[in-house]
Amino acid sequence: MANTELIWKSSRLEIRLGQRVSTPPPDSKTVVLQPGPAFGTGKHPTTRMCLELLETVIPKFPCRHVLDAGCGSGILALAAARLGAEDVVAVEIDPQSARAAGKHADMNHVRDRVTVIASDMAWVGGFYDLILANLCPDCAADTGEWLEEHLARPGLMILSGLAGLEKDRALYRLTRKRGLGLLAERCRRGWRALLLEKRAAEEGK
């Protein structure tokens, strides 16, 4: 794929960034993005940790309904669809970023599985098997606790963008107050990402 920069590669997925990129075939393992003002090119440690954790989840966990809360350019939503998620809702408050996410979904032939919503979190309803939330540190704990209400049982949440005391604050709220279990944690350049689990009803008794 000419004139692209390979910014992420694993055994199951690769992400490329470039100004002039050809769209990959529908069955490709490649996600293509165009650089722009929308947050989320895969280069930031918080995004990379989310991708690492996402790969450990899909397809081991049945991800029928996935929510990408604050999707930016849509990179995590696109990666989830490429890895096998059946239905992904990507919510983004910034209209410019939401347009970029929609364009990327078209470019990558996953628009049938990725729905982009230009709205704030108040739009979110229903329940999701997997919630992806790569957020800013000062809102991660509060938003993560609120998003837990929309996590199916059983369900998983990947919460990233945490730094310093905000990681401890988020862990306290989600594990002590909400009863989620911590399955895995990533740390890179001072940033933290958590993989949390809401157990099935009989397991949580």
Side-chain angles (χ1 to χ4, degrees):
M1 193 174 294
N3 196 39
T4 63
E5 177 188 2
L6 178 61
I7 57 177
W8 168 271
K9 186 173 183 178
S10 71
S11 61
R12 298 172 56 208
L13 181 70
E14 62 182 49
I15 296 170
R16 293 181 177 269
L17 180 70
Q19 290 287 358
R20 295 187 299 276
V21 293
S22 58
T23 59
D27 59 350
S28 172
K29 67 176 183 178
T30 301
V31 170
V32 296
L33 302 170
Q34 288 186 323
F39 174 79
T41 63
K43 294 184 176 182
H44 196 275
T46 60
T47 308
R48 287 181 175 270
M49 290 187 293
C50 282
L51 289 168
E52 290 173 4
L53 291 171
L54 184 60
E55 273 207 313
T56 70
V57 169
I58 303 175
K60 297 178 182 178
F61 184 81
C63 294
R64 291 176 295 276
H65 303 293
V66 177
L67 171 67
D68 184 359
C71 69
S73 67
I75 182 171
L76 297 180
L78 300 175
R82 272 284 189 253
L83 289 168
E86 297 177 13
D87 176 39
V88 185
V89 175
V91 180
E92 174 55 54
I93 191 172
D94 177 60
Q96 192 173 34
S97 295
R99 285 193 295 272
K103 181 179 180 180
H104 288 147
D106 288 331
M107 288 172 54
N108 289 277
H109 303 288
V110 293
R111 199 55 182 264
D112 59 330
R113 286 179 288 148
V114 176
T115 302
V116 179
I117 306 294
S119 176
D120 59 20
M121 296 296 179
W123 179 91
V124 175
F127 297 93
Y128 299 87
D129 305 305
L130 173 64
I131 294 178
L132 308 169
N134 187 14
L135 307 169
C136 58
D138 60 354
C139 69
D142 294 335
T143 306
E145 187 178 12
W146 180 79
L147 286 171
E148 183 276 333
E149 298 177 3
H150 298 280
L151 189 59
R153 187 185 293 276
L156 299 175
M157 178 188 295
I158 296 176
L159 180 63
S160 188
L162 301 164
L165 293 175
E166 288 304 316
K167 189 269 288 190
D168 296 329
R169 184 165 170 248
L171 264 180
Y172 173 79
R173 290 193 173 195
L174 291 167
T175 60
R176 296 290 185 88
K177 293 178 65 178
R178 294 291 185 172
L180 300 186
L182 178 63
L183 294 183
E185 181 176 352
R186 294 283 192 279
C187 179
R188 186 168 295 166
R189 286 163 47 186
W191 295 98
R192 302 273 180 169
L194 310 175
L195 174 60
L196 299 146
E197 175 189 31
K198 180 184 278 187
R199 298 177 180 87
E202 62 272 13
E203 297 175 359
K205 291 182 180 178

